[in-house]
Amino acid sequence: MMNDSPQEWPEPIIRVQSLSESIKGSNSIPERYIKPISERPNSNNNMISDDDCINIPIIDLKGVYSEDPKIRALTLNKISEACKEWGFFQVVNHGVSHELMDMARETWREFFHMPMEEKQKYANSPKTYEGYGSRLGVEKGAILDWSDYYYLHFLPFNLKDFNKWPSHPPSCREVVDEYGRELVNLCGRLMKVLSKNLGLEEECLQNGFGGEDIGACLRVNFYPKCPRPELTLGLSSHSDPGGITLLLPDHNIPGLQVRRGHSWITVKPSPHAFIVNIGDQIQVLSNGIYKSVEHRVIVNSNEERVSLAFFYNPKSDIPIEPVKELVTKERPSLYKAMTYEKYRLFIRLKGPSGKSHLESLKSPPPSTN
Ligand code: OGA
Ligand code: NI
């Protein structure tokens, strides 16, 4: 359980932001950040689609609440297809104030531009991950990603601790708190939509998550400029371990790529949309009908990028397994039950590693007798 978590990082932490500043004008990056050829952004077996027409589906969420049953059905259907085919979609008309979204992003940008001494006050450790960090896994000698981050909890309430949130800029705590409240609300609405689309009672997925006692946390990613973006990644390929993720990307700066078969699609963010993606726990609860899809982040040499990833997760100590109604003779349970607490430990030890953990949950094939 929790005491399996390492207490300290295996090596001294280097802030990628400081590194990026210190190598300005140089044409190389430290070896620790250079990915094996097969993982690099432009390697041949990771073809990037240059097709400008391809993007993840964009969904007008107000269609879900339309008085016109045709529009409602059409919208629900679009979401259903996106959850099955892409594991990703963007939502517009989601009800969260655009001003609040901008304030949240700009507050965090300001935080990352505070002097290093200020940020170091919040330096995190692998014990809880809360605070200012620069790596995920704790394996000594691991190849690192080109990013720093800030991680904090909104829910459960007993984990929310303002003292672990930045006190500067002064608006930070208030803005981030309101942002969290609005996004918990939006995720609650999406959980109902997903339940309905799976043919379940509206509250079914939420109940599977532990009802009111869910978890919610924020990871703010900061991707500094990189002189050799073709050699590294801002965030290695991974699927999100939790339930639903709402990503607020930066203005007009591409970065997020979503796996589609053997290629990677670069997401083109719509103004003031949230990028929604299905996490591993929804894949498990839906018995594999909905997919938690691998994604990664590329960096660039001209601009830094800030993104806010908000994670809506199950209560940490209840077993998560496929919902009964979705397990049939024709479609046996694909996954073994596991608590989220235990599941999360894996990614914390290994860092981002594709979908390898979900694979380990797979039930053995049913015996034929
Ligand atoms: C994440 C993530 C994507 C991005 O934080 O899990 O996938 O664009 N972020 O920063
Ligand atoms: Ni992610």
Side-chain angles (χ1 to χ4, degrees):
M1 304 273 286
M2 284 319 237
N3 54 5
D4 290 344
S5 316
Q7 305 290 300
E8 290 307 328
W9 299 112
E11 291 136 336
I13 288 295
I14 294 168
R15 303 299 174 189
V16 180
Q17 187 176 13
S18 311
L19 175 62
S20 169
E21 286 292 320
S22 71
I23 62 173
K24 227 186 234 167
S26 139
N27 195 25
S28 64
I29 59 173
E31 211 156 332
R32 287 300 297 278
Y33 299 90
I34 300 181
K35 302 290 175 187
I37 290 173
S38 65
E39 289 172 27
R40 292 181 198 167
N42 297 312
S43 78
N44 284 334
N45 54 353
N46 275 335
M47 293 249 296
I48 308 255
S49 169
D50 286 326
D51 189 341
D52 273 345
C53 301
I54 301 186
N55 196 8
I56 58 174
I58 299 172
I59 288 160
D60 184 344
L61 202 60
K62 99 179 167 302
V64 169
Y65 311 100
S66 168
E67 283 177 8
D68 183 342
K70 274 206 218 89
I71 294 179
R72 278 204 310 270
L74 212 71
T75 310
L76 288 175
N77 196 263
K78 255 179 122 173
I79 297 175
S80 170
E81 288 303 304
C83 293
K84 289 178 189 164
E85 297 295 321
W86 286 90
F88 267 84
F89 53 96
Q90 304 193 47
V91 284
V92 294
N93 289 318
H94 41 62
V96 180
S97 136
H98 293 180
E99 199 189 349
L100 179 62
M101 295 168 81
D102 291 338
M103 280 197 308
R105 194 202 304 97
E106 296 319 308
T107 297
W108 282 109
R109 201 190 309 279
E110 236 181 284
F111 170 78
F112 281 101
H113 285 121
M114 307 273 294
M116 193 47 81
E117 310 89 79
E118 180 65 24
K119 290 179 289 207
Q120 290 291 18
K121 289 182 193 162
Y122 302 94
N124 76 348
S125 86
K127 233 164 97 182
T128 64
Y129 273 82
E130 220 170 344
Y132 181 46
S134 297
R135 65 184 291 167
L136 274 173
V138 291
E139 280 182 329
K140 203 172 167 149
I143 298 174
L144 302 178
D145 288 340
W146 194 266
S147 56
D148 301 319
Y149 64 87
Y150 201 102
Y151 182 72
L152 57 80
H153 291 281
F154 293 107
L155 289 173
F157 193 67
N158 66 315
L159 283 187
K160 177 173 163 184
D161 181 357
F162 268 159
N163 293 317
K164 295 186 178 152
W165 299 21
S167 61
H168 282 87
S171 60
C172 186
R173 289 176 182 169
E174 197 185 326
V175 169
V176 173
D177 196 29
E178 190 183 344
Y179 185 77
R181 269 200 306 274
E182 290 287 319
L183 269 60
V184 167
N185 181 299
L186 175 54
C187 284
R189 286 157 54 208
L190 288 169
M191 292 283 277
K192 289 187 178 165
V193 171
L194 266 50
S195 293
K196 259 200 285 200
N197 270 342
L198 286 164
L200 305 167
E201 293 289 330
E202 216 174 57
E203 294 300 328
C204 186
L205 288 179
Q206 188 71 45
N207 291 339
F209 266 32
E212 297 276 283
D213 299 328
I214 48 115
C217 48
L218 179 71
R219 188 167 76 220
V220 184
N221 300 295
F222 184 82
Y223 304 100
K225 292 177 194 172
C226 178
R228 300 296 301 277
E230 75 285 9
L231 298 180
T232 190
L233 288 170
L235 192 51
S236 295
S237 171
H238 66 283
S239 63
D240 291 348
I244 294 179
T245 304
L246 294 180
L247 184 83
L248 176 61
D250 213 333
H251 292 295
N252 298 323
I253 305 170
L256 176 63
Q257 295 187 324
V258 175
R259 187 191 275 287
R260 181 95 170 138
H262 290 294
S263 53
W264 291 93
I265 307 292
T266 304
V267 173
K268 294 170 237 357
S270 275
H272 292 109
F274 281 108
I275 299 168
V276 182
N277 69 289
I278 303 295
D280 295 348
Q281 306 306 310
I282 295 274
Q283 179 166 337
V284 169
L285 279 168
S286 74
N287 201 19
I289 297 173
Y290 289 167
K291 302 289 184 313
S292 152
V293 169
E294 272 178 81
H295 50 286
R296 67 181 190 184
V297 176
I298 54 170
V299 288
N300 73 84
S301 53
N302 304 320
E303 273 172 303
E304 60 193 31
R305 177 173 176 268
V306 176
S307 73
L308 277 59
F310 177 87
F311 305 108
Y312 189 83
N313 300 329
K315 186 169 188 296
S316 63
D317 58 357
I318 59 170
I320 303 295
E321 60 190 332
V323 301
K324 281 196 309 292
E325 292 88 333
L326 301 176
V327 177
T328 58
K329 215 163 161 207
E330 293 71 43
R331 197 182 173 88
S333 171
L334 287 175
Y335 308 103
K336 292 179 278 196
M338 191 184 275
T339 66
Y340 184 54
E341 187 168 46
K342 190 154 175 233
Y343 190 89
R344 190 172 48 190
L345 216 49
F346 178 90
I347 198 164
R348 293 189 168 183
L349 290 171
K350 299 278 184 194
S353 51
K355 291 197 70 170
S356 55
H357 193 25
L358 199 66
E359 288 297 312
S360 74
L361 271 192
K362 281 207 171 133
S363 307
S367 62
T368 43
N369 56 21

